[in-house]
Amino acid sequence: MRFALRTMALACACVMAACGSRDAVQHAQSSAQRAAVAAAPALGDYNDIVQQIYVAYFGRPADPDGQLFWSTLLANARAPTDLTGFNDAYHSNPTVKLAIDGFGQSQESVALYGSDNGAVVNAIYLNLFNRPAEAGGAAFWTAQLNAGTMTRAQAALIIAGGALGSDATSVQNKRAAAAQFTDAIGTPLQGTAYSGLAANQSVRLALASVSAGSNPATGQASMLGALDALANGILNKSQLVWFSPLDPATRTWGNFVSGSSDFMDLFDANAAWAQAVSHVGVFKMQWNVFIDNTLPNSLTDSQIRVALAELDRRGIALGVELEALSVGTDPAHCGSAVEGFGSGYFDMLTLATRIRDLGGKLKYVAMDEPFQHDAAACKWTAREIAENAHASLAAIRTIFPDVKIGDVEVVPDTMDAPDWLARYVAWFDAWRDVWGEPLAFFHADLDWALPYKADLKTLASAAAQRGIPFGIIYNGTYRETSDAAWLNAALQHYLSVEVESGQVPDQVIFQSWDSYPKKVLPESDPNTLTHLLNSYFRTRSALTTTYVAGQVSGQLLKSGRSPVADAIVTVSALPLTGSGVMTRYTLTGTVPAAISQALVQICVNYCGSSNTHDMGVRSLHYSDSGGKDSVLDFARGLDGWGVYGLGTASVQIAAEATANVLHTSASAAQQTYLNSATFAVAPGSSFTLTIDARVSPVSANSGMFALIFLDKVEQSRQVLLFEPGRADIGTARTAADGSYSVPYALPATGTYQIKASYAGSESLWPTMALRTVGRAD
């Protein structure tokens, strides 16, 4: 559990699933074509080339990320946009060569074809023409590959470009069906679904049904069916749901937080959470419930027996979260008073015996961050941590031999270990080596104030490869000051993971270790934890979006592809190139009690993040319900602002339009931060901080704005990450068939990500769809 804000650095990664290639089909490109290419071609001009590479070499449609990556690369290189010229450019255009060779060297190529060039040739024929290579063709192309006179992907493109008659029709139909399929992928969930060799194979089989004599729309429908099955497989997978409201005991040894006042009402047979409880598989309690009952408001033995009996009656498994590492009896031990270390404060055998004697059947043990905290304490190796935990937890298995032991860790955690991701993977392996079995689960405790999505996907993949179910704790933070604010934050958090990132975990954990929410019941009350749990099980919705001839259009659907009528769809555009658009960012919250001073900090690669940075800030405006109002701008340059840190980043004042603007720029290795002068705030009041800034597309994850509350020294802060601003395009109400349309004049230059979004309802999840359009820089 967390008691304070953890800052951490970012690990940013761009992973391409597949790469492609084309060689020269010896024909000259016309001067007219060359002139068109020279005039900043649109990304869409390269989609056909990229799609043909995927179809010819991999036998499947391009994924949207792959198509965008290669189309952008080729557009910026002014590569030819026709197959003949593209093949010709293999030896003269380094980017074309990179694209062509990249496909043949990809992991997908290795997985599909291995080292057998004959198999590659035959696969290319099957991919393109639905037939094996004839003997002469197979011998010729295999000999070329064996001799190294051309690459595999070159051969694929030459074969595709030389197709005649029905073979050419087959290629054309497959490419058309593939393009329709790629265009249909608009949501992060669909992108997640169409990733990995197994998913690629299911769509590959659907594309194989398209031939010279078939309608491309039929093949596209077959592939969409495969995509729907993949996405539904993610959404409908059996998830283990954990429910863990904080018990009422006051943590006098911690931060004096106490849990929900109606905690025990959950264990009434007629408790008002009939819907929510039907989803719960594990009810998790903290170790102190059973051991440290001297805390104020602790549950009595009689109450614990009632709770355990009701869980057993309902068929809900009992889980306990505890500090698993042992400090022994030495008060100077490196783990003394460190979170994650528990045995020594209490005995594991005593804990297990207490649970058994009170009528409990312990099914799960969730270790509370043993690995993360050791990094700052004992500096043990992963194996030493696993061995220490084994020595402690083995006692529990003498009472509950089938108990499943898993781990809860901060994700990401780079405060003390910049290589945390590799270290976590080593921790997975060390645990398996010591225990002879993998962790029963891994639960990510996310610091929602900082970027996490790329790291989360990488770690989830590593866990899956090792057979470890991956879970995410959906909660608010200690910063919220009301039930409504905490629960709304938790809701936004699960939406950010599953809608914006397209990642659906194996296990979901609804947990609080904060002062909120004060109540867990009834589930009909939107300010309770059970209501939050129910909101997660609303019907999922999905959007499609396309951009054609000045119109953004698409369809809003729900499960089963039935339309959603009379709903509002909002459309916006995010510049992916250039310096960004001036946007108003807003941070709201409550001033802590007894705090009357604050300042604003602008962190550039200094507060736990790192990336290329370029930003302009026009002004900041603080106001609160207590009547305090402060405007922070740069009319007098940096007067009133302090510039700190390593000072390697550029900090300048530039005149733009009618106002001075603070311009900061940095490489990923450069850092600085600026503090404003302090200003007055009203204790306990509701505040709003608005920031007018232009954040360039390259600046995401390069820092944050922080509102810092002071009492001589910092007491707490609220943060807003640097993110490029979106330009509003408009809204539309869906028709009876779920369709919508919004006019949009695409700018003549630049690349833009169009986003269509639906805010959801009491019965439907929010959703969004993305489409990238525009021209090369």
Side-chain angles (χ1 to χ4, degrees), residues 356-373:
R356 181 197 63 191
D357 292 348
L358 289 167
K361 300 173 183 177
L362 184 60
K363 183 69 176 291
Y364 295 93
V365 165
M367 297 184 292
D368 183 9
E369 301 169 1
F371 189 80
Q372 187 264 340
H373 286 291

Side-chain angles (χ1 to χ4, degrees), residues 363-660:
K363 183 69 176 291
Y364 295 93
V365 165
M367 297 184 292
D368 183 9
E369 301 169 1
F371 189 80
Q372 187 264 340
H373 286 291
D374 170 70
C378 294
K379 308 298 182 183
W380 291 336
T381 65
R383 185 178 183 89
E384 287 172 330
I385 298 171
E387 289 172 342
N388 182 287
H390 187 278
S392 297
L393 296 173
I396 292 181
R397 282 194 166 169
T398 65
I399 305 296
F400 299 104
D402 298 324
V403 69
K404 297 181 179 180
I405 300 172
D407 188 25
V408 182
E409 299 284 350
V410 175
V411 177
D413 174 41
T414 58
M415 176 80 74
D416 299 295
D419 59 341
W420 69 272
L421 191 55
R423 297 181 76 227
Y424 273 13
V425 173
W427 162 239
F428 293 166
D429 295 339
W431 181 272
R432 181 199 57 221
D433 292 344
V434 170
W435 285 76
E437 61 190 38
L439 286 164
F441 54 86
F442 181 91
H443 291 171
D445 170 13
L446 295 171
D447 188 336
W448 303 102
L450 293 174
Y452 61 85
K453 293 175 184 176
D455 296 325
L456 196 64
K457 286 188 174 182
T458 302
L459 191 59
S461 177
Q465 292 169 10
R466 290 160 175 79
I468 302 172
F470 193 83
I472 300 174
I473 299 172
Y474 290 140
N475 58 354
T477 74
Y478 70 91
R479 302 177 187 87
E480 285 82 45
T481 57
S482 69
D483 288 351
W486 191 97
L487 291 161
N488 182 65
L491 183 146
Q492 296 305 320
H493 292 156
Y494 78 63
L495 294 178
S496 72
V497 171
E498 302 196 22
V499 174
E500 296 177 15
S501 185
Q503 184 170 355
V504 180
D506 305 311
Q507 302 186 4
V508 292
I509 306 93
F510 295 93
Q511 179 173 4
S512 176
W513 47 74
D514 302 310
S515 298
Y516 303 98
K518 297 294 188 185
K519 296 178 64 180
V520 289
L521 296 172
E523 64 183 354
S524 58
D525 184 344
N527 292 322
T528 65
L529 195 60
T530 50
H531 189 275
L532 173 71
L533 192 157
N534 278 343
S535 74
Y536 184 81
F537 290 96
R538 289 173 289 173
T539 300
R540 302 271 179 155
S541 61
L543 266 175
T544 64
T545 190
T546 59
Y547 178 74
V548 178
Q551 293 286 326
V552 179
S553 58
Q555 192 177 24
L556 177 61
L557 306 166
K558 59 183 177 181
S559 297
R561 287 194 165 266
S562 57
V564 179
D566 200 34
I568 299 298
V569 174
T570 301
V571 182
S572 61
L574 172 70
L576 298 181
T577 55
S579 59
V581 295
M582 190 63 70
T583 304
R584 175 155 293 179
Y585 300 90
T586 303
L587 181 65
T588 60
T590 303
V591 179
I595 295 295
S596 59
Q597 293 287 311
L599 63 81
V600 170
Q601 185 176 85
I602 302 174
C603 272
V604 176
N605 291 339
Y606 200 85
C607 301
S609 57
S610 178
N611 197 15
T612 303
H613 172 86
D614 184 86
M615 180 174 72
V617 181
R618 180 183 294 160
S619 65
L620 306 95
H621 181 199
Y622 172 90
S623 63
D624 62 38
S625 58
K628 303 301 182 183
D629 192 279
S630 297
V631 175
L632 308 172
D633 60 22
F634 304 94
R636 295 178 299 167
L638 288 172
D639 186 22
W641 289 84
V643 181
Y644 304 92
L646 300 184
T648 55
S650 173
V651 179
Q652 297 179 335
I653 300 297
E656 291 187 11
T658 60
N660 280 354

Side-chain angles (χ1 to χ4, degrees), residues 188-214:
L189 176 65
Q190 290 173 322
T192 298
Y194 186 44
S195 63
L197 293 176
N200 294 161
Q201 179 62 14
S202 66
V203 177
R204 184 179 292 110
L205 292 173
L207 182 59
S209 67
V210 178
S211 65
S214 65

Side-chain angles (χ1 to χ4, degrees), residues 252-263:
T252 57
W253 39 260
N255 51 359
F256 290 87
V257 166
S258 59
S260 303
S261 59
D262 57 347
F263 180 87

Side-chain angles (χ1 to χ4, degrees), residues 326-338 341 345 377-378 380:
S326 174
V327 296
T329 59
D330 180 5
H333 188 279
C334 55
S336 294
V338 175
F341 290 83
Y345 299 112
C378 294
W380 291 336

